């Protein structure tokens, strides 16, 4: 009998101890394939279709990553393409080529998604998901990070999300959530990152946020929030605060002493800057520009130990700054322009080191009279403001007194009615608002901090007050060029002929010769050239001076002009990208460094001066390299002089910028510079055809190998390359409204460089350990 029980025992052991892994993997795999179907088979998931192995083992890409623990999906990231951009008139229905189709059901999609019960990290970005987010999203009770940014979700953020106790990072940026911001965030006891940028939220700032002691990053910018901003010093761990472009109209509140970045520009904040701001020892970046702030700014703001960027522009600040004002060692950018400040500019803002940028135009300071108002303007404005405040105070007192009197007179009848009338029961209708939160593919904390750093670094490289443009005589220029000898001729640029010269002091210069129609006076032209010479930036070719001949013998209706620039010995960036270039080929990190430098320069031209300079003739041949391969942009700002004076000379190289006939878009043209950096020189006349036929190739590894420059492929990491390709596609979008700002371009390039540097460091570390 014992022999009969032995097979039965072996069978039972087999049943109870058979591995269950394949069943779990199959179940999870089926859910993933259903999600792919719901998302209408995005190209990022094409390789799932015929994959026969365990999906948990698929290799991650820049647009898809998947991680598993104990055979359950724990992390899922799917990043969509750049065509899913904001739609200004989105009304809650499917939009062709922007959202998923009309048959898409967000309710069914979320139902399937909640079957991944062990999911801790979920990022579904720019996938065209549309509809009202269902309350059942809370069934993902294990979620720690949720990012649904850049989609088309609208309505309220479901109240059920308040039950997601493990959630620490929430991002719903760039959607269409509307109504008021939810007031239950304090129920999320682990929340550290909360971002609701670029939605349609209105109403007040929710008081519950002030109770989230774990919060480190808070971003509600680009909404329509209004009213009073409460005391934020109750958030001890807050590092980043971004409330730009709302409608707050209170005074500035107290801030957390650990705050690093505060972006509060373009609101209606009023009153004085609180003295408490002088105690923010960790503060690096403060932007409170374009508000209604008054009074004299606290002097200690300028000397905070870590402050690097301080923007107080376009307020109503008054009074004077003391000459003994101290500036912090790290302070790289200060903007106090467009206020009502008087007196002298303090020495630490006047006699400044090269790496510090100070902007102070539009005040009544006793310096740079050309860009200052008369002192009486600021004093009258201050007096008027004081009278207005007193008048308002008087009116307020009268109104309050009248209201009190009326209330006293009505008190008795109201009391009588209250005693004799029956009470009626009432009810309230509660509307649950919606929530939006951000963490990019790298997390909101690093994104916002990096963004703040980039703005600061770009601004550090801005302008200082420069001397008046040097006036050269024709004799000086003839002597420098041996009477414009053919041996000094360097070619014809986009405007005019260019010669290499050597000044009497031994300095080499590039001299551009051009003729302009006489539409304005020579004096007006000199003013414009003087303005152009003041555009100083480490990545701009400096204009050293000029020479104007009032009328040339051949044509008295034209002005002959010579522009004298600094000389850069290493030629153009376009030449270095050419296959025929004989020197050392530029590797991907070097190309990124050049692109970042030029992007900083263009960002400065757009935002660092008023008015901004656009249509800057961006192309690879107008990017010049110095002896250290530092990039500098030439031919910028020429519209300042050619706009009014009319261009007479045709372009010597016969080329045109890579753009539409009537489009003058620096972002679009910079996109072609990015494209040439990736694939090599492009003939501009074929640029559009190239885009239509080849841009899709960037989406696949085989396509990249076919069109990307081999030097780039062998010296880049894939994530860095993907970031650059993504921003390139956005820049050259046919729709101008879909193109990013130069601030966004700069951020992406900086991020690509950071990713590349990390990959290079890891590679060197691995090589060292192996050896």
């Amino acid at each position: 009998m014992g022999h009969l029980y032995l097979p039965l025992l072996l069978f039972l052991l087999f049943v109870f101890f058979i591995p269950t892994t394949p069943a779990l993997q199959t179940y999870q795999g089926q859910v993933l394939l259903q999600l792919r179907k719901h998302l209408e088979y995005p190209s990022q998931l094409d390789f799932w279709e015929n994959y026969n192995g365990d999906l948990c083992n698929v290799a991650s890409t820049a647009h898809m990553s998947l991680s598993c623990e104990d055979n359950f999906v724990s992390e899922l990231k799917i990043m969509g393409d750049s065509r899913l951009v904001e739609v200004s008139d989105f009304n809650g229905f499917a939009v062709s080529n922007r959202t998923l189709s009309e048959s898409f059901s967000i309710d069914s999609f979320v139902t399937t998604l909640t079957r991944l019960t062990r999911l801790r990290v979920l990022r579904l970005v720019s996938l065209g998901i549309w509809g009202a987010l269902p309350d059942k999203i809370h069934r993902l009770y294990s979620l720690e990070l949720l990012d649904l940014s850049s989609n088309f979700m609208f309505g309220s953020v479901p109240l059920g999300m308040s039950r997601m106790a493990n959630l620490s990072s929430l991002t719903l940026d760039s959607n269409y959530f509307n109504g008021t911001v939810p007031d239950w965030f304090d129920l999320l006891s682990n929340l550290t990152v909360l971002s609701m940028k670029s939605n349609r939220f209105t109403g007040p700032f929710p008081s519950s946020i002030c109770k989230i002691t774990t919060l480190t990053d808070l971003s509600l910018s680009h909404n329509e929030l209004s009213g009073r901003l409460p005391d934020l010093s109750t958030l001890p761990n807050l590092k980043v605060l971004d409330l730009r472009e709302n409608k707050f109209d209170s005074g500035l509140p107290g801030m957390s002493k650990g705050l690093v970045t505060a972006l509060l520009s373009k609101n209606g904040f009023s009153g004085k800057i609180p003295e408490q701001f002088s105690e923010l020892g960790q503060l690096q970046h403060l932007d409170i520009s374009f508000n209604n702030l008054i009074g004299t700014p606290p002097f200690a703001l300028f000397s905070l130990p870590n402050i690097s960027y301080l923007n107080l522009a376009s307020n109503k600040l008054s009074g004077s700054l003391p000459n003994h004002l101290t500036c912090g060692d790290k302070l790289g950018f200060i903007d106090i322009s467009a206020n009502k400040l008087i007196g002298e500019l303090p020495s630490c803002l006047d006699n400044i080191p090269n790496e510090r940028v100070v902007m102070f135009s539009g005040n009544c300071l006793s310096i740079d009279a050309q860009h200052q108002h008369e002192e009486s303007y600021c004093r009258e404005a201050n007096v008027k403001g004081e009278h207005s405040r007193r008048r308002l105070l008087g009116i307020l007192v009268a109104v309050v007194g009248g209201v009190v009197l009326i209330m006293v007179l009505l008190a008795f009848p109201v009391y009588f009615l209250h005693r004799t009338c029956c009470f009626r029961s009432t009810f309230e209708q509660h509307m649950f608002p919606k929530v939006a939160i951000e963490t990019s593919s790298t997390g909101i904390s690093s994104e916002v901090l990096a963004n703040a750093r980039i703005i600061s670094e770009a601004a550090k490289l801005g302008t200082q007050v420069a001397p008046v443009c040097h006036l050269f005589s024709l004799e000086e220029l003839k002597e420098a060029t041996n009477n414009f000898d053919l041996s000094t001729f360097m070619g014809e640029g986009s405007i005019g002929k260019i010669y290499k010269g050597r000044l009497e002091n031994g300095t080499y210069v590039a001299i551009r010769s051009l003729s302009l129609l006489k539409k304005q006076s020579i004096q007006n032209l000199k003013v414009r050239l003087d303005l152009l010479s003041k555009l100083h930036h480490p990545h701009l070719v400096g204009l050293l001076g000029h020479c104007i001949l009032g009328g040339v013998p051949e044509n008295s209706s034209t002005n002959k002009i010579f522009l004298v620039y600094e000389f850069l010995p290493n030629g153009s960036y376009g030449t270095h990208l050419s296959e025929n270039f004989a020197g050392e080929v530029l590797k991907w990190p070097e190309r990124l460094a050049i692109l970042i430098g030029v992007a900083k320069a263009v960002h400065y031209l757009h935002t660092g001066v008023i008015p901004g300079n656009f249509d800057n003739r961006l192309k690879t041949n107008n990017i010049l390299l110095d002896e250290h391969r530092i990039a500098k942009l030439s031919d910028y700002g020429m519209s300042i002089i050619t706009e009014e004076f009319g261009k007479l000379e045709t372009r010597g190289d016969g080329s045109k910028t890579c753009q539409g006939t009537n489009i003058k878009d620096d972002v679009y043209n910079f996109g072609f510079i990015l494209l040439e950096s990736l694939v090599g020189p492009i003939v501009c006349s074929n640029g559009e055809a190239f885009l239509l036929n080849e841009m899709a190739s960037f989406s696949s590894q085989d396509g990249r190998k076919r069109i990307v420059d081999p030097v780039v492929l062998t010296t880049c990491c894939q994530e860095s390359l993907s970031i650059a390709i993504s921003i390139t596609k956005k820049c050259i979008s046919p729709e101008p409204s879909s193109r990013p700002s130069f601030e966004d371009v700069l951020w992406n390039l900086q991020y690509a460089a950071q990713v590349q540097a990390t990959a290079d460091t890891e590679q060197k570390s691995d090589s060292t350990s192996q050896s």
Side-chain angles (χ1 to χ4, degrees):
M1 285 294 288
H3 294 290
L4 294 175
Y5 284 112
L6 183 60
L8 178 61
L9 179 62
L10 291 175
F11 175 76
L12 291 174
L13 289 173
F14 176 77
V15 170
F16 282 108
F17 292 100
I18 186 172
T20 57
T21 297
L24 290 174
Q25 291 176 346
T26 300
Y27 168 73
Q28 295 283 284
Q30 289 175 346
V31 174
L32 292 174
L33 292 177
Q34 286 177 356
L35 291 175
R36 174 174 174 263
K37 181 179 179 180
H38 280 302
L39 293 174
E40 300 175 2
Y41 305 101
S43 59
Q44 295 85 349
L45 306 181
D46 282 349
F47 58 93
W48 284 10
E49 184 175 6
N50 299 316
Y51 190 78
N52 297 320
D54 183 359
L55 283 174
C56 291
N57 296 325
V58 297
S60 297
T61 68
H63 296 282
M64 195 291 302
S65 66
L66 181 66
S67 299
C68 299
E69 292 179 5
D70 300 326
N71 302 307
F72 284 89
V73 178
S74 59
E75 297 186 15
L76 176 62
K77 180 184 78 170
I78 308 174
M79 310 291 288
D81 56 38
S82 58
R83 69 184 176 86
L84 301 173
V85 295
E86 182 179 0
V87 177
S88 59
D89 58 348
F90 178 68
N91 57 7
F93 297 96
V95 179
S96 177
N97 296 322
R98 293 292 184 267
T99 69
L100 296 174
S101 68
E102 293 181 1
S103 61
F104 171 76
S105 168
I106 192 171
D107 188 77
S108 298
F109 174 69
V110 171
T111 299
T112 302
L113 193 63
T114 56
R115 293 166 66 189
L116 301 176
T117 56
R118 303 283 185 90
L119 204 58
R120 293 187 296 102
V121 175
L122 177 63
R123 288 192 176 106
L124 302 173
V125 177
S126 193
L127 292 171
I129 299 171
W130 66 277
L133 189 61
D135 193 74
K136 65 183 72 174
I137 189 73
H138 77 269
R139 296 178 189 172
L140 292 169
Y141 51 82
S142 298
L143 268 188
E144 298 172 11
L145 185 152
L146 176 60
D147 182 356
L148 300 175
S149 57
S150 300
N151 283 293
F152 293 82
M153 284 174 279
F154 54 84
S156 300
V157 174
L159 177 62
M161 292 186 76
S162 63
R163 299 160 59 184
M164 302 172 75
N166 295 315
L167 199 62
S168 64
S169 181
L170 179 59
T171 301
L172 301 176
D173 288 347
S174 300
N175 277 281
Y176 294 85
F177 290 103
N178 51 8
T180 55
V181 177
D183 204 14
W184 43 253
F185 284 117
D186 55 322
L187 299 177
L188 302 175
S189 57
N190 294 307
L191 194 64
T192 60
V193 174
L194 174 61
S195 176
M196 298 183 284
K197 296 191 299 185
S198 301
N199 278 281
R200 295 178 175 179
F201 289 108
T202 58
F205 184 94
S207 59
S208 65
I209 290 180
C210 300
K211 303 175 185 177
I212 313 174
T213 56
T214 55
L215 201 62
T216 61
D217 297 68
L218 174 62
S219 179
L220 305 173
S221 63
H222 302 90
N223 282 288
E224 296 188 17
L225 302 179
S226 58
R228 187 180 70 88
L229 193 62
D231 184 10
L232 299 178
S233 61
T234 58
L235 301 174
N237 294 300
L238 190 64
K239 304 296 181 187
V240 176
L241 177 65
D242 184 3
L243 300 177
R244 292 170 294 168
E245 297 193 35
N246 278 286
K247 297 179 179 179
F248 294 114
D249 55 6
S250 65
L252 291 173
M255 296 289 174
S256 167
K257 291 190 175 181
L259 197 63
V260 174
T261 298
L263 308 175
L264 304 169
S265 61
K266 296 185 179 179
N267 278 281
F269 290 115
S270 57
K272 294 184 177 182
I273 302 173
E275 288 293 337
Q276 189 259 353
F277 277 42
S278 302
E279 303 171 8
L280 304 179
Q282 302 301 314
L283 192 63
Q284 298 177 13
H285 187 116
L286 176 62
D287 187 351
I288 50 178
S289 60
F290 293 93
N291 282 291
N292 298 312
L293 301 171
I294 62 173
T296 305
F299 304 149
L301 271 183
F302 297 82
S303 58
L304 289 172
N306 291 293
I307 194 73
S308 62
Y309 181 101
L310 180 60
N311 193 343
L312 312 178
S314 299
N315 281 285
K316 299 176 182 178
L317 301 175
S318 58
S320 60
L321 301 175
N323 190 52
H324 60 270
L325 183 74
T326 303
C327 293
D329 294 336
K330 298 180 181 179
L331 189 56
F333 178 87
I334 313 100
D335 191 350
I336 56 174
S337 59
N339 281 289
K340 294 178 173 59
L341 298 171
I342 60 175
E344 296 183 357
L345 194 66
S347 57
C348 82
L349 302 181
D350 189 5
N351 301 317
I352 54 178
N354 291 332
E355 65 271 13
R356 181 174 296 161
V357 182
V358 177
M359 305 182 74
F360 52 82
S361 63
N363 285 285
C364 299
L365 300 169
S366 55
I367 187 173
D368 186 31
Q370 183 178 355
H371 300 100
Q372 300 292 320
H373 297 289
E374 294 291 334
E375 184 172 331
S376 58
Y377 167 82
C378 293
R379 292 193 181 278
E380 287 174 7
N382 290 333
V383 170
K384 288 180 181 178
E386 184 62 30
H387 287 168
S388 177
R389 284 190 291 275
R390 289 177 180 174
R391 195 180 308 112
L392 285 174
L393 182 60
I395 293 173
L396 182 61
V397 170
V399 170
V400 171
V403 170
V404 170
L405 180 61
I406 292 172
M407 289 177 65
V408 170
L409 294 174
L410 293 178
F412 179 75
V414 168
Y415 176 73
F416 177 78
L417 289 173
H418 175 73
R419 296 280 295 181
T420 57
C421 292
C422 297
F423 289 99
R424 287 186 171 181
S425 58
T426 60
F427 65 91
E428 290 184 355
Q429 202 173 18
H430 296 281
M431 302 292 292
F432 294 113
K434 38 239 142 167
V435 123
I437 310 193
E438 128 161 304
T439 62
S440 68
S441 58
T442 58
I444 174 65
S445 181
S446 60
E447 177 189 341
V448 175
L449 283 171
N451 195 27
R453 283 197 298 271
I454 290 163
I455 296 171
S456 177
E457 290 302 313
K460 279 183 186 178
L461 303 177
T463 184
Q464 288 190 82
V465 177
V468 176
C469 191
H470 182 75
L471 301 179
F472 287 91
S473 66
L474 181 60
E475 288 69 27
E476 286 180 282
L477 300 185
K478 284 183 176 181
E479 183 177 346
T481 59
N482 192 20
N483 200 20
F484 296 99
D485 187 78
L486 190 60
S487 61
T488 64
F489 180 66
M490 298 172 61
E492 296 194 32
S494 57
I495 295 182
K497 299 177 180 179
I498 302 176
Y499 299 85
K500 179 180 178 180
R502 185 177 183 182
L503 302 179
E504 189 176 0
N505 62 5
T507 302
Y508 285 99
V509 293
I511 303 172
R512 184 195 303 274
S513 168
L514 64 155
S515 298
L516 297 178
L517 293 171
K518 293 166 66 175
K519 292 185 178 180
Q520 298 288 338
S521 67
I522 290 180
Q523 184 60 36
N524 196 344
L525 179 57
K526 288 180 179 179
V527 170
R528 288 168 175 267
L529 289 172
D530 181 50
L531 176 62
L532 192 61
S533 72
K534 290 183 178 180
L535 300 179
H536 280 251
H537 189 283
H539 295 289
L540 292 178
V541 177
L543 176 62
L544 306 178
H546 59 76
C547 172
I548 303 176
L549 302 182
V552 296
E554 309 89 60
N555 189 345
S556 60
S557 64
T558 64
N559 289 318
K560 189 73 174 180
I561 302 173
F562 298 93
L563 304 178
V564 182
Y565 293 93
E566 63 175 314
F567 176 75
L568 277 73
N570 249 333
S572 73
Y573 179 45
T575 302
H576 285 255
L577 295 176
S578 171
E579 296 178 354
N580 300 322
F581 180 65
E584 184 180 350
V585 179
L586 292 171
K587 300 177 181 178
W588 177 240
E590 295 171 315
R591 298 186 190 195
L592 274 177
I594 290 171
L595 292 169
I596 289 170
V598 176
K600 286 181 177 180
V602 180
H603 182 250
Y604 162 69
L605 290 170
H606 286 187
T607 64
V609 293
I610 300 175
N613 285 284
F614 303 93
D615 185 24
N616 288 295
R617 306 175 187 274
L618 302 183
K619 59 179 182 175
T620 54
N621 286 338
N622 284 343
I623 300 172
L624 306 181
L625 306 181
D626 68 6
E627 62 273 19
H628 305 295
R629 284 188 172 178
I630 302 298
K632 296 195 177 190
L633 180 65
S634 68
D635 281 18
Y636 60 89
M638 292 303 292
S639 58
I640 291 177
I641 60 173
T642 59
E643 248 178 19
E644 294 294 333
F645 286 82
K647 189 174 68 174
L648 183 66
E649 294 186 354
T650 56
R651 301 170 75 156
D653 56 7
S655 65
K656 62 179 180 179
T657 53
C658 293
Q659 60 182 22
T661 306
N662 297 316
I663 299 174
K664 295 184 177 180
D665 191 324
D666 283 345
V667 174
Y668 186 77
N669 288 333
F670 190 77
F672 276 87
I673 294 176
L674 289 170
L675 197 57
E676 290 192 41
S677 302
L678 291 167
V679 305
I682 301 169
V683 178
C684 290
S685 58
N686 296 328
E688 296 289 350
F690 175 87
L691 288 178
L692 294 174
N693 297 327
E694 301 291 352
M695 283 303 289
S697 302
F698 278 125
S699 301
S700 67
Q701 292 294 332
D702 290 340
R704 291 184 184 183
K705 290 179 182 179
R706 180 170 59 83
I707 64 173
V708 174
D709 189 330
V711 175
V712 173
L713 287 175
T714 55
T715 58
C716 76
C717 73
Q718 286 302 310
E719 186 176 359
S720 175
L721 182 62
S722 295
I723 295 167
I725 290 173
S726 176
I727 195 63
T728 300
K729 288 181 178 179
K730 292 178 182 178
C731 287
I732 55 184
S733 170
E735 300 178 17
S737 61
S738 303
R739 298 170 196 156
S741 66
F742 248 94
E743 183 178 317
D744 293 332
V745 174
L746 185 55
W747 189 92
N748 279 273
L749 291 175
Q750 291 271 19
Y751 180 44
Q754 182 182 10
V755 169
Q756 183 64 48
T758 301
D760 291 343
T761 301
E762 291 175 351
Q763 186 177 11
K764 289 179 182 177
S765 177
D766 293 342
S767 302
T768 304
S769 61
Q770 291 174 3
S771 60

